[in-house]
Amino acid sequence: MDHNKQQDTAHAPAQRKEMTRRQFLSYTLGGAGAFMAGGAILPMIRFAVDPILQKKEKGNFVKVIEESKVTSEPTEVKFKVHQVDGWYESDPKLSAWIAKGDDGKIFALSPVCKHLGCTVSWAAESPTEYHCPCHGARYTKDGKTLAVAPKSLDEYEVKLDNGWVYLGPIEPNTRA
């Protein structure tokens, strides 16, 4: 290489890399497409996640029976509870076995067997026991397990007000 050519290449300005029209269109269309996809997908994600982010309300108490009608013999009481499950609101029918204990306090037991979830009944097999017809689980009047089931019947939180019995959320049995 002669001296002149070497001097020309040494002092030549650096060439800039320019974006081609094709690259510009690709970036522009890709960005616009991503923006539009985000606009369509973000509301769907919000719809799916929003119920999880909502603050959970503590269970409300439901008026079920007059205090004067509760005896030492368990009585089945049916009632409705308003519940919100995500976006779905419903009023399922529930039931409870309500009685006065030996101490005179009113308590309410869930009728759901702790073995496999069947519904127990009072005095079906024995006059002083709850009995599950599915697999023969038995419970005392206080809900303590006698046979088959691994745990005692759950208990409703009970509140007395102006001569009425109110039932709240289900909790583990404190009587057994």
Side-chain angles (χ1 to χ4, degrees):
M1 186 186 272
D2 74 8
H3 180 64
N4 287 339
K5 282 187 181 179
Q6 187 178 14
Q7 195 172 16
D8 286 341
T9 57
H11 297 293
Q15 286 189 355
R16 292 188 337 183
K17 277 192 142 189
E18 293 188 16
M19 185 182 301
T20 65
R21 270 190 262 161
R22 180 171 290 178
Q23 287 175 326
F24 175 77
L25 286 174
S26 294
Y27 294 150
T28 304
L29 289 174
F35 180 77
M36 291 185 342
I41 292 173
L42 285 177
M44 288 186 243
I45 293 171
R46 169 76 191 239
F47 180 80
V49 172
D50 193 47
I52 297 169
L53 299 177
Q54 293 294 327
K55 193 173 188 180
K56 303 287 186 240
E57 295 179 17
K58 186 165 180 167
N60 296 330
F61 283 85
V62 178
K63 184 193 284 188
V64 292
I65 191 172
E66 288 182 53
E67 191 176 348
S68 60
K69 293 184 179 178
V70 179
T71 63
S72 61
E73 185 78 13
T75 307
E76 186 176 24
V77 177
K78 297 191 182 286
F79 58 97
K80 288 183 181 179
V81 175
H82 183 75
Q83 70 182 18
V84 179
D85 185 18
W87 297 105
Y88 180 70
E89 292 187 34
S90 63
D91 295 313
K93 294 179 183 177
L94 301 175
S95 63
W97 288 98
I98 298 180
K100 280 187 183 176
D102 296 335
D103 56 0
K105 291 184 180 180
I106 294 175
F107 66 95
L109 297 175
S110 169
V112 179
C113 179
K114 297 303 278 188
H115 179 232
L116 290 176
C118 296
T119 304
V120 300
S121 57
W122 173 254
E125 298 279 323
S126 172
T128 60
E129 295 176 357
Y130 292 101
H131 179 260
C132 177
C134 295
H135 298 100
R138 295 180 304 135
Y139 302 91
T140 65
K141 177 183 164 187
D142 289 331
K144 182 179 179 183
T145 185
L146 294 174
V148 180
K151 293 182 182 176
S152 301
L153 291 174
D154 286 333
E155 188 175 8
Y156 283 97
E157 191 175 333
V158 175
K159 181 171 78 171
L160 305 174
D161 190 27
N162 292 331
W164 285 90
V165 177
Y166 291 82
L167 297 184
I170 292 178
E171 53 192 26
N173 194 325
T174 59
R175 304 182 62 79

